[in-house]
Amino acid sequence: LSFSLPRKELKVDLLTATLKLGEGDGVVVLEAGESLDVATLLVQDLRRTQEGPSFAGSTLRVAVAVRVPNEARIRDVPQRLPVGASALCSLELADASGAAMVLPSNFQVNHSSSQP
């Protein structure tokens, strides 16, 4: 998770024991492991109110749901391709409840199929 304030100006508490809270390059890192859970983070702005308008002293409650893909659909698949050709298709993921999921932009999925 990345916030618009420097990490040193925020106090972050995790209210769920099954997830771990970590740090990385000035951002807050949640480590879920194999656990499917909903975590609640409390984020507090530690700046002083004299610095002008801010949310100093207020607490932001952030709910984070840990989900895994349960279904994958490949869209825009061409009906015919020449031998040895490849096609770029969109991939849609959904969790067990059918809610759509989005892969991070740094993920790449390769899939291959062949017909006799």
Side-chain angles (χ1 to χ4, degrees):
L1 301 171
S2 157
F3 298 96
S4 60
L5 293 176
R7 178 65 183 99
K8 64 183 178 186
E9 295 180 7
L10 296 172
K11 177 183 177 193
V12 181
D13 293 316
L14 181 63
L15 301 181
T16 305
T18 56
L19 301 180
K20 288 180 9 182
L21 188 61
E23 300 285 331
D25 295 329
V27 297
V28 177
V29 177
L30 279 177
E31 297 177 18
E34 299 286 321
S35 168
L36 297 179
D37 201 355
V38 175
T40 301
L41 289 176
L42 296 180
V43 182
Q44 186 174 13
D45 183 350
L46 297 176
R47 296 177 298 173
R48 304 248 185 244
T49 53
Q50 300 101 302
E51 295 178 6
S54 75
F55 295 102
S58 61
T59 301
L60 172 67
R61 185 178 287 263
V62 179
V64 179
V66 179
R67 306 179 299 161
V68 295
N70 188 54
E71 179 180 294
R73 292 187 184 136
I74 301 174
R75 299 276 185 203
D76 308 319
V77 178
Q79 290 194 351
R80 292 177 181 241
L81 282 174
V83 173
S86 62
L88 185 62
C89 305
S90 61
L91 176 69
E92 296 176 356
L93 300 175
D95 67 6
S97 68
M101 298 179 69
V102 178
L103 287 173
S105 60
N106 62 343
F107 272 54
Q108 180 176 338
V109 178
N110 292 316
H111 172 75
S112 64
S113 73
S114 61
Q115 296 290 330

